[in-house]
Amino acid sequence: MIEMNDFPAQIFRAYDIRGKIEMLRPEYVQAIAHALANQFIEKGQPQISLGYDARLTSPTFAHIIQQVFQQKNIQVTEIGCCSTPQLYFAARKTGGNGIMVTASHNPKTDNGFKWIMQSEPPSPESIQNVGTQAAQYFQTEYIQNEKFEAIQASTHNPSLIHQIKTEYCLPYQNAILNDIHLSKPLKVVIDGLNGSAGYCANLVLKRLGCEVIAIRCNADGNFPDHAPDPSQATHLELLRQNVLNHQADIGIALDGDGDRVVILDETAHIISADRLLALFAQMCLKDHPQHEIVFDVKCSSMVRQAVERLGGHAKMIRTGSSFLRKYMSQSKGRAVFGGEYAGHYVFNDGRGMGYDDGLYAALRVMEYLCLFPKATLSEILALYPDRFYTEDTYISTHHTDPKVVLNEIEHLSQNFAAELSKIDGVRLDFEHGFGIIRASNTGEYFTVRFDADCPIHLNEIRQTFASMLSDRYPMIAQEILQAH
């Protein structure tokens, strides 16, 4: 017998709903679908677009959502297996309303849901509201009325397969082809990481006249090599080999649902998000001087310095692609570009779609590269040199109160020549780099990241953070010193 407290509250996160498959049993998914449908009804939205990624459970989850929404007289346009950007594009025809079944770059053991309503992503509060309503529905229908057999019978459909529907794929392709113009053919390696974005991306690149080497562009929810996460350098080894073997101009890796991208130059060197952000700022500010460039708190000091040097206004916001998209859409054209350290890039310069699309961001780089017929991508990016940094590192709270720890750092930081920011956690900007420590929304840990212009300054910044905690929180300080 399932108890009420079994309902997985932890899958309702700050940006979306996501968790292990065992936390997404059919009765849970149906309860979530009812809560989502109620949210659309409350806002007077009678129609949605519905898409799903390559994961093995995604067609079934989409089928449950479709059934529930149709029962509540909400019209559902099924997009099939697609990328999240394709779903956002299709949602323009359904009032800006869409639901995507995806766990993005997570391992194959996970799944989840993203959605937009009237073209806006949900707030953390509305996501929690869905969780509360879903738990209440589950309590009423399953605990009290014991409808387990009915839901199992209605959702067990082994014939459900991943369908790529060309009638929705083609308009998305055509919109990109009307926007992007390559003045010379490029040799491109595209790695779809077996997610749902590779198939369409391969077709777009070919239609642009590129010589395309496509790897892992078939949607395969088994993810035979590894999770569809391009932010892990070890996951890019196949892409690196192909860029070098084929002497390609550029390598492109898309995450599981295609809203994030990692780009390699012609030497198969991974271009950091900070360097890409600076390049995109340069591109957008050229045509829109003195406008705003938006970036999250995990981006390096170099981004702000580059924006200010280019005459733009640098705006730092909290981490989360939904916060980025919402800020961009509400800026009334003031912000012409925004990006995140995680690899989300949103163009708002009169071109692009207004949401994060990994393929589109890569194509903007390619278009810019074509303006310099004799230059390579590494030469174009030489203006923005590599930084020395640690990746996001997870550190246990060791049963401390995160707010108390962060307050301690804030207080002690006054002893150092650093600029304090409290937009999201505690960030300290020093002359040669920065450090940030944030409390997790979902677990008993902090995330820390350090960045500097050279290894010596990187170590100094890391040591500074550790020194502020060494007396009262020695175990946390020790883990900070081990961040790499």
Side-chain angles (χ1 to χ4, degrees):
M1 182 65 178
I2 297 176
E3 298 296 334
M4 178 59 190
N5 57 14
D6 286 341
F7 194 81
Q10 65 269 40
I11 68 175
F12 298 90
R13 309 176 337 142
Y15 324 130
D16 58 19
I17 300 170
R18 204 182 304 182
K20 300 293 179 191
I21 296 293
E22 52 265 30
M23 296 182 184
L24 289 163
R25 297 199 304 238
E27 57 268 26
Y28 295 160
V29 174
Q30 192 188 61
I32 291 166
H34 275 278
L36 279 170
N38 289 340
Q39 202 172 78
F40 281 96
I41 290 167
E42 285 165 14
K43 295 291 185 181
Q45 301 304 309
Q47 57 180 339
I48 66 157
S49 295
L50 175 63
Y52 56 84
D53 70 8
R55 291 164 198 279
L56 300 180
T57 52
S58 290
T60 298
F61 291 173
H63 179 62
I64 295 172
I65 292 169
Q66 179 196 356
Q67 284 185 318
V68 169
F69 272 63
Q70 288 176 340
Q71 286 167 10
K72 291 177 176 282
N73 297 316
I74 298 174
Q75 182 184 333
V76 179
T77 302
E78 296 177 86
I79 308 303
C81 183
C82 64
S83 68
T84 292
Q86 284 174 261
L87 183 275
Y88 291 158
F89 180 81
R92 294 176 170 192
K93 294 279 184 71
T94 53
N97 302 316
I99 297 175
M100 181 72 183
V101 180
T102 181
S104 186
H105 60 281
N106 284 31
K108 63 184 178 183
T109 51
D110 294 9
N111 213 331
F113 313 96
K114 297 179 180 179
W115 67 96
I116 52 172
M117 187 184 297
Q118 297 175 282
S119 301
E120 292 276 346
S123 67
E125 294 75 26
S126 66
I127 293 172
Q128 291 305 312
N129 186 40
V130 168
T132 301
Q133 282 197 39
Q136 290 169 349
Y137 179 89
F138 177 75
Q139 164 74 15
T140 303
E141 297 301 318
Y142 293 104
I143 302 298
Q144 293 179 13
N145 297 338
E146 298 187 349
K147 288 189 176 179
F148 299 114
E149 290 182 8
I151 182 65
Q152 293 292 351
S154 66
T155 60
H156 182 65
N157 188 346
S159 65
L160 289 173
I161 59 170
H162 292 73
Q163 286 186 300
I164 293 176
K165 298 189 175 184
T166 54
E167 65 265 37
Y168 300 111
C169 188
L170 280 171
Y172 166 77
Q173 289 182 40
N174 291 335
I176 291 178
L177 293 166
N178 287 333
D179 185 313
I180 297 293
H181 303 283
L182 303 183
S183 57
K184 67 173 185 176
L186 294 175
K187 186 184 286 190
V188 186
V189 183
I190 174 76
D191 187 351
L193 291 169
N194 294 124
S196 57
Y199 175 81
C200 198
N202 182 21
L203 294 177
V204 168
L205 289 165
K206 286 179 176 174
R207 289 181 68 187
L208 282 166
C210 296
E211 182 181 341
V212 185
I213 298 94
I215 56 176
R216 296 187 288 209
C217 282
N218 60 311
D220 183 352
N222 290 300
F223 300 117
D225 294 336
H226 43 65
D229 183 0
S231 68
Q232 303 295 316
T234 54
H235 294 177
L236 301 177
E237 197 51 44
L238 186 61
L239 177 60
R240 292 188 71 255
Q241 291 169 10
N242 276 272
V243 168
L244 294 172
N245 292 344
H246 293 276
Q247 297 183 307
D249 297 301
I250 188 172
I252 302 168
L254 300 171
D255 79 335
D257 67 330
D259 58 2
R260 294 197 304 154
V261 67
V262 173
I263 293 175
L264 276 60
D265 66 20
E266 79 287 352
T267 71
H269 181 70
I270 299 168
I271 301 165
S272 72
D274 288 325
R275 299 177 72 207
L276 276 180
L277 276 159
L279 180 66
F280 287 139
Q282 178 185 324
M283 289 159 52
C284 293
L285 289 172
K286 182 177 183 295
D287 295 326
H288 303 273
Q290 297 183 317
H291 278 62
E292 202 169 69
I293 302 294
V294 186
F295 51 93
D296 78 312
V297 295
K298 293 198 287 185
C299 292
S300 81
S301 316
M302 180 186 73
V303 176
R304 181 175 65 178
Q305 291 162 3
V307 171
E308 291 173 348
R309 189 174 66 247
L310 292 161
H313 298 281
K315 176 65 177 178
M316 187 162 63
I317 64 170
R318 66 181 293 192
T319 292
S321 60
S322 58
F323 303 126
L324 173 65
R325 292 205 312 277
K326 186 165 283 191
Y327 184 92
M328 299 292 289
S329 68
Q330 294 176 355
S331 75
K332 298 179 179 173
R334 185 178 66 254
V336 292
F337 174 77
E340 277 203 316
Y341 183 72
H344 295 274
Y345 306 106
V346 180
F347 289 84
N348 196 34
D349 61 342
R351 298 177 57 188
M353 313 292 188
Y355 49 76
D356 37 342
D357 184 340
L359 173 63
Y360 181 78
L363 292 173
R364 288 292 291 262
V365 172
M366 292 166 59
E367 185 182 70
Y368 189 72
L369 176 60
C370 288
L371 299 177
F372 307 91
K374 295 184 178 179
T376 62
L377 186 52
S378 61
E379 289 168 343
I380 285 172
L381 281 156
L383 189 60
Y384 308 109
D386 269 316
R387 307 286 293 178
F388 296 86
Y389 55 88
T390 67
E391 294 291 357
D392 266 359
T393 304
Y394 299 100
I395 289 176
S396 171
T397 60
H398 293 287
H399 309 295
T400 61
D401 182 343
K403 287 183 181 177
V404 174
V405 176
L406 294 180
N407 286 339
E408 179 85 355
I409 294 174
E410 180 187 348
H411 172 69
L412 293 173
S413 69
Q414 298 170 18
N415 299 324
F416 301 93
E419 181 183 340
L420 170 70
S421 167
K422 294 170 59 182
I423 295 168
D424 189 0
V426 174
R427 171 175 169 141
L428 299 176
D429 278 86
F430 302 85
E431 183 181 356
H432 300 289
F434 85 98
I436 185 168
I437 179 167
R438 300 159 60 236
S440 167
N441 292 316
T442 56
E444 298 296 313
Y445 57 86
F446 297 104
T447 57
V448 299
R449 183 169 120 73
F450 305 105
D451 168 281
D453 55 6
C454 72
I456 292 173
H457 291 141
L458 175 66
N459 196 45
E460 286 176 356
I461 293 169
R462 183 167 41 201
Q463 294 270 6
T464 298
F465 270 75
S467 70
M468 287 187 279
L469 298 174
S470 58
D471 286 346
R472 293 187 62 187
Y473 308 102
M475 295 174 77
I476 296 174
Q478 187 59 37
E479 287 195 41
I480 284 174
L481 290 173
Q482 293 167 356
H484 61 277

